[in-house]
Amino acid sequence: MIKLHKLIVLVVLLLIARTGFTQQTKPVDAPKASAATLTTSAPLKLSNEVKKAMDMVDSNQIRADVTYLADDKLLGRAPGTPGYQMAVDYVVDRLKGLGVKPAGENGTWVQTVRFRKSFSTDGLMTMSDGTELKKGTDYTISSNPSNAKVEADAQLVFVGYGASEPKLGYDDYAGVDVKGKIVVVVSGAPDKFSSSVSAHTRNRTAIMKAASDHGAIGVLVATTDSVARGGGRGGAGGGGGAPRGINNIVDEKGNTIVSSVQYGNININGTLGYQVFNSLVKKAGKDLQGILAQLKAGTPNSFPLNTGVKVSYTSTYQDMLSYNVVGTIEGTDPKLKKEYVVHSAHLDHLGVGRPVQGDSIYNGAHDNAVGTASVLAIANIYKNIKVKPKRSIIFILMTGEELGDMGSSYFAKHPTVPVGSMVADVNTDMPTIIAPLLSVTALGAEHSSLAKQVAQAAGYLGLGVEDDPEPAQARFTRSDQYSFVVNGIPALHIKYGAKTADGKNNLNDFVAVWRAKYYHKPQDDINGIFDFRAGKTYAELNFLIGYLVAQDPNRPTWNTGDIFAEN
């Protein structure tokens, strides 16, 4: 698969890595520390058995696992394909060899995940005064995964960002009645919200949940950009755009379990174009720009739009099966062994797609064969510990992350272990092992007591813990750990920090160059840049975080007043 241009890119990046990020003995000042580094605790002491087991993590085995999972013969590991099944078979065999026991459905290694891709091209929307709106310009309507035919006639109510967080001093639903109505929202969040809180409240499912909890039957996201084309997002698989389909998960009876377009009472999901939305706001005696400024400043401004719409559409479906792989190691404490610490990583990638520089196989070596290999390395550590931890351990390799955290959402909602028994999730997704690992960012640890275990584990390994260098990217809510968080389970995702051996502390710059060439491209194969010693360190760190949680007599807790504390 290596072509001349790929070789040139690789050589250039390797030269950058060698000159800027090679290991040195010179001490390095870490960038600004996160709250996790400020957690004070006594130096961590481990048994000789645990130390030896950690030392046995083999970077060559990590390389071998990545090499197989990212091989062309697996054709990118897309869910529902023979290549994905090959990946399932491989990790099951590896887990068996590591002494892990099956923890899937009915004593098997797998949990069946029923994907449903929904399509709709006939969505119609008419104003209550008879005005016909133009599909694709004035509105879009998304397909529905469980109701093939939907009709509604309802009033419209504007509810700002669609966020209902009274404990944070912000509630777009305060003082308005939306029962049986369709809410209109704009994308965004108040400036006072942190990056992770903002990302959570802007999440489409969170918006639908808030609307459904208040009795609404639909959500329309309005475009606020006067020069934007069409009705904004929502056209994919919807009645206003190309029928590419929307991925969902349903149960064996076809009921929606996971979806970005249907939740609870919400069966109308789509967008409104700027011209229509601005006209409705003016007719309600309001000024759109003034409203948007108020919302950003943290002052809700919700009101009826004094009109309604008639909506109708039909949906068609394509169904497929895929699988999460689930294994366990039983704990030793008579009581605590009924609780579980989860080590997770997604097994899928993008499959075969649009050719880039003559290559169409999206191998997903870093994303996320490395993460899967890391979980297998953690299982190997446990294999070499005779006395297992107090709590039990779950290893889960999940399907459908690239389709929207689908497999993890399903497992977190419908685990193969008793509901409420999972106490924490340590997720690994594309750790980006392209340079020595000297510091980390613990995405999500700031929300719970897991910050303590992160600080202890990182300190033991001599790693700094830094604040998220890219908070605007909302990385905490963009991978599988978020599925556990919204189901009430403290979770985190360890990413690389900025620290470099040469003291420049600019690893993020190198990663940005790397991402531009490799991320979600066919070039992310085993022939790219790897530092498998960093992969070993990642596995040791994630193991140690999970092990400390498994040994702690107290369950992890959310921080007082945290936005996720009541999920």
Side-chain angles (χ1 to χ4, degrees):
M1 294 175 63
I2 302 179
K3 310 223 175 20
L4 179 59
H5 48 265
K6 293 175 71 175
L7 282 171
I8 294 172
V9 169
L10 180 58
V11 168
V12 171
L13 287 172
L14 282 171
L15 287 172
I16 294 173
R18 183 167 296 174
T19 57
F21 305 102
T22 51
Q23 187 74 38
Q24 298 178 8
T25 58
K26 174 185 175 181
V28 182
D29 293 331
K32 179 183 177 182
S34 72
T37 62
L38 303 179
T39 302
T40 58
S41 60
L44 182 62
K45 295 182 179 180
L46 299 176
S47 69
N48 288 332
E49 184 183 45
V50 172
K51 292 178 183 178
K52 291 179 180 178
M54 290 174 63
D55 288 341
M56 292 176 70
V57 173
D58 185 355
S59 58
N60 289 324
Q61 182 60 58
I62 295 174
R63 180 196 299 270
D65 290 332
V66 173
T67 299
Y68 178 84
L69 292 169
D71 193 279
D72 277 1
K73 65 186 177 184
L74 274 68
L75 295 174
R77 307 189 308 279
T81 65
Y84 183 80
Q85 187 60 49
M86 291 173 68
V88 168
D89 294 341
Y90 179 82
V91 296
V92 167
D93 285 344
R94 288 277 287 118
L95 290 171
K96 287 179 180 178
L98 295 170
V100 178
K101 302 300 181 183
E105 297 165 334
N106 303 315
T108 71
W109 284 95
V110 299
Q111 179 187 46
T112 302
V113 182
R114 296 171 174 84
F115 283 88
R116 169 166 289 177
K117 183 173 284 189
S118 56
F119 303 83
S120 180
T121 56
D122 66 345
L124 297 176
M125 183 182 295
T126 305
M127 304 301 296
S128 57
D129 63 4
T131 302
E132 293 186 4
L133 300 181
K134 186 177 180 180
K135 182 165 59 181
T137 300
D138 295 333
Y139 73 93
T140 66
I141 296 294
S142 296
S143 52
N144 190 297
S146 58
N147 296 309
K149 178 67 175 178
V150 175
E151 294 181 345
D153 187 347
Q155 291 293 300
L156 298 178
V157 180
F158 177 68
V159 291
Y161 296 129
S164 183
E165 300 295 340
K167 63 184 177 181
L168 298 181
Y170 189 90
D171 189 356
D172 282 314
Y173 287 90
V176 291
D177 177 14
V178 301
K179 290 182 179 179
K181 300 173 184 178
I182 296 172
V183 297
V184 178
V185 305
V186 294
S187 295
D191 286 336
K192 66 180 181 179
F193 282 6
S194 69
S195 61
S196 56
V197 169
S198 174
H200 172 66
T201 59
R202 294 176 67 163
N203 179 272
R204 194 64 173 259
T205 301
I207 292 172
M208 287 192 297
K209 182 180 185 301
S212 180
D213 289 347
H214 286 86
I217 64 168
V219 176
L220 298 176
V221 180
T223 303
T224 58
D225 183 354
S226 62
V227 298
R229 296 179 60 187
R233 75 182 298 270
R244 292 186 286 114
I246 294 174
N247 292 295
N248 314 271
I249 294 176
V250 297
D251 64 16
E252 62 276 8
K253 296 181 180 179
N255 299 311
T256 303
I257 304 298
V258 180
S259 177
S260 63
V261 293
Q262 197 274 329
Y263 183 100
N265 305 320
I266 306 302
N267 283 301
I268 305 293
N269 198 310
T271 65
L272 274 183
Y274 173 81
Q275 297 299 332
V276 173
F277 175 53
N278 191 42
S279 174
L280 293 176
V281 170
K282 286 183 177 179
K283 288 180 180 178
K286 306 283 186 175
D287 172 66
L288 179 55
Q289 295 307 313
I291 292 170
L292 296 178
Q294 269 188 293
L295 296 176
K296 290 297 289 181
T299 302
N301 190 339
S302 303
F303 51 90
L305 289 170
N306 300 322
T307 190
V309 291
K310 293 182 178 180
V311 179
S312 66
Y313 67 97
T314 58
S315 299
T316 58
Y317 309 126
Q318 291 178 357
D319 292 352
M320 73 171 183
L321 297 180
S322 190
Y323 303 95
N324 290 327
V325 177
V326 194
T328 188
I329 291 176
E330 187 177 33
T332 55
D333 184 270
K335 181 179 179 181
L336 294 180
K337 71 179 183 180
K338 297 178 183 179
E339 298 178 347
Y340 298 86
V341 176
V342 180
H343 284 283
S344 61
H346 73 88
L347 185 58
D348 68 306
H349 196 54
L350 300 173
V352 179
R354 180 180 60 84
V356 177
Q357 299 175 351
D359 192 349
S360 61
I361 299 176
Y362 289 67
N363 304 79
H366 281 278
D367 187 14
N368 188 37
V370 168
T372 298
S374 185
V375 169
L376 295 175
I378 293 169
N380 185 69
I381 297 175
Y382 279 107
K383 176 187 177 183
N384 291 295
I385 299 175
K386 184 177 180 180
V387 180
K388 307 305 181 189
K390 296 175 182 179
R391 286 189 175 86
S392 298
I393 307 297
I394 283 179
F395 305 102
I396 177 167
L397 292 317
M398 299 164 296
T399 187
E401 190 274 346
E402 301 290 5
L403 301 179
D405 302 343
M406 289 286 170
S408 59
S409 293
Y410 184 71
F411 183 82
K413 289 174 179 286
H414 298 275
T416 57
V417 296
V419 173
S421 64
M422 294 184 290
V423 304
D425 169 57
V426 181
N427 186 50
T428 307
D429 185 3
M430 203 179 79
T432 317
I433 53 170
I434 60 176
L437 184 65
L438 304 178
S439 63
V440 297
T441 296
L443 301 176
E446 72 274 16
H447 293 283
S448 74
S449 62
L450 291 178
K452 179 183 76 171
Q453 284 85 8
V454 170
Q456 289 177 317
Y460 179 82
L461 293 170
L463 301 171
V465 182
E466 304 167 3
D467 288 328
D468 183 0
E470 301 173 299
Q473 296 298 314
R475 295 184 296 176
F476 173 53
T477 63
R478 287 170 50 196
S479 190
D480 290 311
Q481 68 280 345
Y482 183 61
S483 299
F484 292 89
V485 166
V486 295
N487 283 280
I489 303 164
L492 58 84
H493 175 200
I494 297 292
K495 297 291 284 186
Y496 55 85
K499 193 173 182 180
T500 58
D502 61 7
K504 294 182 179 179
N505 297 337
N506 60 347
L507 182 58
N508 293 317
D509 295 338
F510 179 45
V511 172
V513 175
W514 177 88
R515 285 175 64 93
K517 298 295 183 181
Y518 291 95
Y519 178 63
H520 278 192
K521 292 183 174 66
Q523 287 66 40
D524 180 17
D525 60 22
I526 194 60
N527 301 298
I529 299 173
F530 292 88
D531 185 327
F532 287 105
R533 289 175 299 173
K536 173 182 170 73
T537 305
Y538 264 109
E540 291 171 336
L541 176 61
N542 282 335
F543 156 77
L544 198 48
I545 293 169
Y547 180 78
L548 293 173
V549 174
Q551 289 288 77
D552 194 328
N554 300 311
R555 289 177 68 127
T557 56
W558 296 106
N559 295 336
T560 302
D562 191 85
I563 188 173
F564 301 117
E566 297 180 4
N567 284 320

